Structures are given as structure tokens and as C-alpha cells.
Amino acid sequence: MRFKAVIWDMDGLLLDTERISHESWLQASQELGLEIDVVEFRRIIGMNESSFREALHQAIGDQVDVPELVAKSDKIYHQKIAHGVPMHQGARICIEWLSNEGIPQSVATSSRQSLAQKKLGHHDLICHFHSIVSGDQVTNGKPHPEIFITAAEQMGVDPSDCLAFEDSRHGIHAAAASGARVILVPDLATHNDESRGLAHEIWESLERGPEKFQEWFG
């Protein structure tokens, strides 16, 4: 099986940020006297800002002022990532391997564009990507496939010719619905048999990348 391009998720996949986000939500919730449901938090991982705000309204809107909770969590999160965020093992070597081979690669992230640029820029990764498609640049967030379709279009390839990497359930559904072949690398997000069944392969980490890339792109 051969592919023409790669589309990466960012948070929880390339960058080890979901734990920082989780810590920020817990701290913000505690400061507001709210006991956050960890399972509920993990269910919304992968959504863009408008989607997770709506999910929070439905889940806990009767318990807390959601805009206040989001604002407080965002403030804590930005303080925690002020000096950069860690990368997941294997991420850099995968990106650089593809870049050296001239394989087009883009990022499809639910984060805002400014935040994506900041996080990836800290690791000097932006130069490797054809484009960074963010949650604030699409109408429909994950699990809708729009962001993956857009990333493929911007690289001039069909989504079915793309290999997509995701960690979240919403991301898996979005990538699969676009027609891309999906590799699941689980992080904090919860999964079920359906989302796991959509994955072409499930990896423990991105450290498997170079070996598999030889097969798919070599």
C-alpha cells in the first residue's frame, strides 16, 4: 500500500499536551468548586473550541458558568505552556524522515491557528509542513471530515491518498470519513470498538514510524 501525503493531528499526537490540558481543567474546576467528570473530559478531546463549548454546556451547563470555566482553564493552560510543550516520542523523527524524503505533510488540529503556530514553532517544526489547518479555519470541527479534506486539498492530493495520524475518537471518525487511511496512536482520549475499528493500524507510539514509512513511502 502506497500513500502520497501525511496529515497529522497535533495535540495528544505530535505534542504531549493533553495531560497539561487535563491538569488545567482540573485546576480551573477546583477553583470554581466544581468536580469535573474525568470521563466526560476525555470524551470531548479532539473537538474544536465551538464544539467543546457546546458539549460542556450540555454536560455541566446547569452546574457552572461555562464561559468562566473555559476562560479560567485557558489562562492556566497558557501559563503552563508559556515555555513550550513536550513532544511525544518518535514525533520529530517521523516528521523529519518524511521531510527528507520530500513527502508532503500537513497538520489538521482543532486548536486555534495562533496557538498551533506557537506550539509547533517552539520545536522549529513549521518549516516541515505544507500547511497547518486549524479548528478556527473550518466551519465544522472533528468528527466532521472537513479539516482533513481541506488539508488534503491544500496539498493537492485526494484524501484517499493520505495517511492520517490521530489520537482521539473524534479525530479518528473525522479522518476516516474523509477517506484517509488512519493510524491510531492512543493518548488520553477514550475509545470504543467503533473508533478502534476505523483504524488501519494501532500503534503504541510514533517510534514505529520510520520502519513503516519505508514500506509505505520508500
Side-chain angles (χ1 to χ4, degrees):
M1 185 168 292
R2 297 282 179 166
F3 301 95
K4 296 180 180 178
V6 170
I7 304 175
W8 301 100
D9 176 48
M10 184 181 70
D11 292 300
L13 190 281
L14 295 178
L15 305 179
D16 190 8
T17 48
E18 297 299 3
R19 288 166 184 77
I20 301 172
S21 180
H22 189 196
E23 292 169 2
S24 301
W25 280 106
L26 286 176
Q27 183 176 335
S29 299
Q30 290 168 358
E31 290 181 9
L32 293 175
L34 174 71
E35 289 190 16
I36 193 168
D37 186 338
V38 174
V39 174
E40 187 62 38
F41 166 80
R42 293 187 176 188
R43 286 193 185 122
I44 66 175
I45 290 175
M47 292 182 177
N48 67 5
E49 185 171 356
S50 61
S51 296
F52 78 67
R53 280 177 181 266
E54 178 59 30
L56 285 174
H57 273 293
Q58 293 180 4
I60 57 174
D62 60 337
Q63 304 174 48
V64 68
D65 183 330
V66 171
E68 182 182 5
L69 172 62
V70 172
K72 185 175 289 289
S73 175
D74 279 352
K75 181 178 180 180
I76 295 169
Y77 181 77
H78 280 84
Q79 290 172 343
K80 288 179 178 292
I81 68 168
H83 301 293
V85 295
M87 294 186 70
H88 270 304
Q89 289 187 334
R92 180 177 294 279
I93 192 171
C94 283
I95 293 167
E96 292 180 347
W97 191 99
L98 293 166
S99 184
N100 290 336
E101 293 297 316
I103 307 299
Q105 47 187 330
S106 289
V107 172
T109 175
S110 294
S111 287
R112 297 185 300 275
Q113 181 69 207
S114 58
L115 194 52
Q117 292 279 342
K118 177 181 179 179
K119 291 177 182 177
L120 295 171
H122 175 79
H123 294 284
D124 296 322
L125 295 174
I126 295 174
C127 62
H128 296 293
F129 301 121
H130 181 279
S131 61
I132 299 170
V133 186
S134 55
D136 55 345
Q137 293 182 324
V138 295
T139 302
N140 304 290
K142 301 173 185 178
H144 193 281
E146 180 184 354
I147 196 166
F148 285 97
I149 294 171
T150 301
E153 288 178 346
Q154 291 186 3
M155 290 188 288
V157 298
D158 191 273
S160 62
D161 289 322
C162 293
L163 192 63
F165 285 83
E166 268 287 356
D167 69 289
S168 75
R169 179 164 50 92
H170 297 294
I172 283 283
H173 280 274
S178 76
R181 193 60 61 97
V182 195
I183 305 299
L184 169 60
V185 189
D187 191 43
L188 287 189
T190 56
H191 284 275
N192 53 28
D193 290 342
E194 182 183 8
S195 60
R196 288 180 175 274
L198 292 172
H200 176 57
E201 291 187 2
I202 301 176
W203 296 1
E204 291 186 3
S205 83
L206 289 173
E207 292 175 293
R208 291 192 63 193
E211 176 188 354
K212 297 296 294 188
F213 291 163
Q214 285 286 358
E215 174 186 340
W216 292 328
F217 299 102

